[in-house]
Every structure is written in structure tokens, then in C-alpha cells.
Amino acid sequence: MPKVLVVDDDANIRELVRLYLEDEGIEVVQKGNGAEALEYTENQPPDLVVLDIMMPGMDGWALCARLRELGDMPVLMITAKGEPADRIKGFKLGTDDYLVKPFDPMELALRVKALLKRYRIAYSQTVRLGDLRLDRKSYHVVNKDGLELTLPMKEFELLYKLGSYPGQLFTRNHLIAEIWGIDYEGDERTVDVHIKRLRERFAGHDSDFRIVTLRGLGYRLEVYRD
Amino acid sequence: MPKVLVVDDDANIRELVRLYLEDEGIEVVQKGNGAEALEYTENQPPDLVVLDIMMPGMDGWALCARLRELGDMPVLMITAKGEPADRIKGFKLGTDDYLVKPFDPMELALRVKALLKRYRIAYSQTVRLGDLRLDRKSYHVVNKDGLELTLPMKEFELLYKLGSYPGQLFTRNHLIAEIWGIDYEGDERTVDVHIKRLRERFAGHDSDFRIVTLRGLGYRLEVYRD
DNA sequence: GGTTATGTTCATATTGAGTTCATACAGTTG
DNA sequence: CAACTGTATGAACTCAATATGAACATAACC
């Protein structure tokens, strides 16, 4: 899950951006000023920065350069200035893309995704399991013939998680922490039940994968074909 | 109906682009080389140009500049080169957006639409749902037989939004942000009520679509026929 | 002003995803 | 091959999320 740092003094805009990016399965961290953004980036550099160039008492261009020194990540600029001169200056400094206010948040999301893709930052909305495709946008499982299957949320998340790292072992705790949240208080056996349901759901489809139990350890998904 | 000129030496790519743009209600004119593109533009300048920068025996950048002299329309560049230097050059010449080959034609269509919107080029916003057509200009829903149905604004916006991205999941938050505005303070359940009204409104018409609930997630519109 | 159309809120009914539980089964170990 | 431990499974149960009907509020219209 890629992490995007959004730097803007306007909390409304930050929230707007967060909403749209999170819908795309992108983690969003918000900072309201350059100092906080720099401090955060020093410790935990994000994968990409969305930066409003016009913030009070701050040189956005300098901030951009400093951020890139720290993390060397792509930066998408937001600017209210539409003058070509400014845009060019931004690009010279190494901005990777820009948007002019007021912008369509959907377009922002599209551009962020395009940047992540261009910079090959691990990010995929979809997971492929043989002929199956898990689409996180629609929570659909689609097979090659276009047959669709809608899974309940937990089942989908579980299969998606397992399928994201085929062959890798996941302990119940790990799965619970990822899907149910770190503060889940319920029974570990719940995972078993969802695994069971996934298994029987894909039993007839002479599957492209199977979920293997590692006794005493957890589960692992194995893909047959590719 | 906006008109877009597509300039590329590869007829396959031109066709691909045409297909996707026409689906969006955009008229497409194709030219295979710069000379033809210039000649056409002199007489009937299009609203926007999609231009492949890498064509044999031709300086794409010069062509871009010449086209803009003639019509001063936005230009979307397609390029196989990903180097920053080239991108900057493109932007200096006044390119408004660009895509790197190989590109997702859907994304191209999205960007073209965004550009048209940004440049306030009249663009009838319609969405097709099977035999239904949602016309955002009149807030009318028209079926194949020409029967019209005027929806209340919120219902229309909701159906329009869902129908713009069929199959895609929309959270309530997302829908509220888009339709009611980011600072809407009201109840999330309001969305449910409008969904319900849409459902019963189109219940009898053995519909072209249906709105599916994804429990815990949101809603999704599914189209049956096309 | 009266009337209708639209939008929102609220109370209640309904659903089904998620969880728990009891039991059966399977793998492991001495 | 017991005895034990971990997992599978079917079914019951729970409860939050959604659907729904209706009241209410507000804007548009005549």
C-alpha cells in the first residue's frame, strides 16, 4: 500500500484529497505546513508527495527541493497560479506533475496513480490469481470469461491479502492485524471460518489457486497456473 | 459535440483512440502525418489535438507549435520517451498534458475530457446506461424510444455519478463529497434514501442497470446490456 | 398564500455478514 | 496406537448495516 504525504494549509483540501486517494487504496498522511512535512519525511519518507505550492509564510519551491533531498520521491504540485513561467520553474526543480486549483479530485487521484505507476511504486488495485482477477475498486472477482463474483468484504480482503503475496505464510495474527485491525478483540478462529468459506466458494471452479494450512503456523496461498 | 484531432502515423493507435473518444461523445478526426494535420487545422481547427510526438520524418515539437499557432487549442502529447528533459521541453512549448506509451486508452479519454473541461469547451455530458441516456445538460433521462424522464437533481447526480463509472465501488463519503460537497454536515443515510428512490423509479422498466449494495463499503452500479 | 416537488431526518423493520460454538476430523508425538 | 493439539465444518446466533415508510422541512411554483 503506497503512502502519500499531502501538504496543504487548507484542511478541507487535505481531507478532500485523502478521501479520494484512500478510495484508491492509497494511504494518506496529512501535514499542514512545511516544517511538519519535513519532520515527518525525515523519519518516514512517503512514496509520493502532493504539495500545495502556495502556503502562507513558506517557499513551496524550497520545500519541494528539501523534501526531494530527504526522500527522492515524486512530487505532485498543486498551484493556484496558472502562469506558464511558474509551471516551468516547478518542472525545472524536478516536480513530476502539477494541477491548477481548483482541481478535480478525481483527476488528482488519476495523476497520483499514474505517477506511482511510472515510478514503479508497488501499487496495484488488482491482484491476479491465474485467470482470476481481484479488483479492489469494485470488490469484484472476475474470471477470464468475464464472469463476476462479489465477495463479502472480509472474504475479499482475506483473499486479496493472501493473493498479494502468493506462497507466503500468513499467521492468523498477521491476517487479523491487517484486515480486522490491530485492536481486534475477537476469536482467532474467525479466520478459519472465512478461509473455509473461501475454499468452498472456489471449490467448483477447478481453481487457479488453493489455500494451504500450515499447521501451527497459519495459511498460505498457492497459485497453480499463471 | 467537441472535435478532437488525432495525429499519429500508426493507424491502429488512431483507431483505438477514436473508439474510446467516440464512446464519450467526442467527434474524432484522424490524420496520419503533420502536413495533413496542418492543412486540416487551417480550415477547421479542432477543439483539441492528440499528438504523437514521435513520428517518422517529422519534428513533433515544431508541429505542435505550428498547430497551436493556427488554432490555439490544447494539445495532449503522446510520447514513448520518458526522459524528464523531453517532458520539460514539451511543457515549454505549451503542451497541456501528456501520456507515455503504452497508454491506457481509458486514461487518454479521461484526460481529454479533463482538458476539455478545463478549457471550458462545451461538452455535452451524457452517460449511457444500456438504452438509457443521462443528459447532464437537461437533467433528463431519455430512453431509446425517446421517452423522457426528469429526475430530481440529487437523484440525477447520484445516478450520473454511479453510471459514469459502472462497476466501480463508491463509498457514501465519496458520493457525498462529489454530490453534496466536501463540507456537507448531514446524515450519511440520506444517500440510502436517494438510492432507494432511484431503485423504485427504475424498478418497472426492466432496467438496463441495477444499483448493488456492498455491505460495509458502499454502492456500485452494474449495467446489464450495452 | 396555498400547493406541489424535492430533500432530509427519523423510527422501525429487515437482512446477511461476521462471529461464536460444539463437534468432528486430521496431524503430530511419545 | 493412544493422547494430544490444532484445524475443519455445520449450524446457531448476534448485531451492525441497510432498507423502508413516513413525517418533517424547505424550496419552487402558481
Side-chain angles (χ1 to χ4, degrees), chain B residues 194-213:
Chain B
H194 288 291
I195 293 282
K196 173 205 151 208
R197 288 180 181 167
L198 277 172
R199 279 169 172 161
E200 63 191 18
R201 198 184 288 275
F202 292 95
H205 306 52
D206 69 332
S207 329
D208 304 307
F209 66 90
R210 66 169 170 167
I211 299 171
V212 179
T213 306

Side-chain angles (χ1 to χ4, degrees), chain B residues 52-101:
Chain B
D52 187 349
I53 202 64
M54 289 292 286
M55 288 188 291
M58 195 181 317
D59 182 350
W61 303 112
L63 175 58
C64 173
R66 274 291 289 142
L67 285 170
R68 290 194 56 123
E69 271 174 38
L70 288 173
D72 193 33
M73 72 289 284
V75 176
L76 188 151
M77 289 279 196
I78 301 175
T79 172
K81 291 178 157 186
E83 297 88 337
D86 278 298
R87 292 187 219 149
I88 290 169
K89 194 177 170 197
F91 279 102
K92 274 185 181 166
L93 273 169
T95 307
D96 301 276
D97 204 351
Y98 71 100
L99 275 175
V100 179
K101 273 189 203 172

Side-chain angles (χ1 to χ4, degrees), chain A residues 12 16 19-20 23 88 91-92 96 98 104 106-107 110-111 114 118 137-140 150 153, chain B residues 87-88 91 97-98 107 110-111 114 118 165 167-169 171 173-174 177-178 182 214 217 220 222:
Chain A
N12 285 324
L16 185 70
L19 204 63
Y20 278 76
D23 272 353
I88 289 168
F91 279 100
K92 274 186 183 164
D96 301 276
Y98 72 101
D104 174 4
M106 196 82 95
E107 194 187 348
L110 273 169
R111 284 173 179 251
R118 195 187 307 160
K137 270 191 136 156
S138 59
Y139 274 79
H140 260 166
T150 305
M153 177 167 50
Chain B
R87 292 187 219 149
I88 290 169
F91 279 102
D97 204 351
Y98 71 100
E107 195 186 348
L110 276 167
R111 284 174 182 251
R118 194 189 303 161
Y165 304 89
Q168 194 164 314
L169 166 72
T171 64
N173 269 335
H174 192 137
E178 288 263 331
I182 182 85
L214 299 181
L217 299 168
R220 181 181 69 201
E222 289 179 358

Side-chain angles (χ1 to χ4, degrees), chain A residues 150-166:
Chain A
T150 305
L151 300 189
M153 177 167 50
K154 292 286 193 246
E155 277 178 56
F156 184 93
E157 299 282 13
L158 196 51
L159 184 58
Y160 192 88
K161 177 57 67 183
L162 290 170
S164 299
Y165 305 91

Side-chain angles (χ1 to χ4, degrees), chain B residues 9-128:
Chain B
D9 59 308
D10 185 340
N12 287 324
I13 291 189
R14 292 203 308 268
E15 270 303 301
L16 186 70
V17 172
R18 185 185 63 77
L19 206 62
Y20 277 77
L21 290 184
E22 284 186 355
D23 267 357
E24 303 290 341
I26 296 168
E27 189 185 333
V28 172
V29 179
Q30 307 179 24
K31 296 295 169 194
N33 61 61
E36 286 179 23
L38 283 170
E39 187 194 338
Y40 179 83
T41 302
E42 269 178 39
N43 304 318
Q44 310 171 56
D47 296 305
L48 184 146
V49 178
V50 174
L51 174 62
D52 187 349
I53 202 64
M54 289 292 286
M55 288 188 291
M58 195 181 317
D59 182 350
W61 303 112
L63 175 58
C64 173
R66 274 291 289 142
L67 285 170
R68 290 194 56 123
E69 271 174 38
L70 288 173
D72 193 33
M73 72 289 284
V75 176
L76 188 151
M77 289 279 196
I78 301 175
T79 172
K81 291 178 157 186
E83 297 88 337
D86 278 298
R87 292 187 219 149
I88 290 169
K89 194 177 170 197
F91 279 102
K92 274 185 181 166
L93 273 169
T95 307
D96 301 276
D97 204 351
Y98 71 100
L99 275 175
V100 179
K101 273 189 203 172
F103 60 88
D104 175 4
M106 195 81 95
E107 195 186 348
L108 178 99
L110 276 167
R111 284 174 182 251
V112 166
K113 284 200 294 180
L115 277 177
L116 291 174
K117 194 173 164 189
R118 194 189 303 161
Y119 283 81
R120 299 199 172 59
I121 291 163
Y123 169 52
S124 104
Q125 300 170 2
T126 61
V127 163
R128 299 185 53 91

Side-chain angles (χ1 to χ4, degrees), chain B residues 105-186:
Chain B
M106 195 81 95
E107 195 186 348
L108 178 99
L110 276 167
R111 284 174 182 251
V112 166
K113 284 200 294 180
L115 277 177
L116 291 174
K117 194 173 164 189
R118 194 189 303 161
Y119 283 81
R120 299 199 172 59
I121 291 163
Y123 169 52
S124 104
Q125 300 170 2
T126 61
V127 163
R128 299 185 53 91
L129 293 177
D131 288 339
L132 292 180
R133 202 180 68 240
L134 307 190
D135 182 359
R136 207 162 186 293
K137 276 196 150 147
S138 60
Y139 277 57
H140 269 174
V141 180
V142 187
N143 80 358
K144 195 166 57 174
D145 307 326
L147 290 177
E148 291 189 358
L149 179 61
T150 308
L151 298 189
M153 178 168 49
K154 293 290 191 222
E155 278 179 56
F156 184 92
E157 297 283 13
L158 197 49
L159 185 58
Y160 190 88
K161 179 55 69 182
L162 291 170
S164 299
Y165 304 89
Q168 194 164 314
L169 166 72
F170 287 85
T171 64
R172 287 186 179 70
N173 269 335
H174 192 137
L175 291 169
I176 285 177
E178 288 263 331
I179 297 169
W180 279 263
I182 182 85
D183 46 358
Y184 177 75
E185 291 293 321

Side-chain angles (χ1 to χ4, degrees), chain A residues 9 67 81-82 127 135 139-140 165 191 195 209 219 222:
Chain A
D9 59 308
L67 285 170
K81 291 179 154 186
V127 163
D135 182 359
Y139 274 79
H140 260 166
Y165 305 91
V191 178
I195 294 283
F209 66 91
Y219 297 97
E222 289 179 357

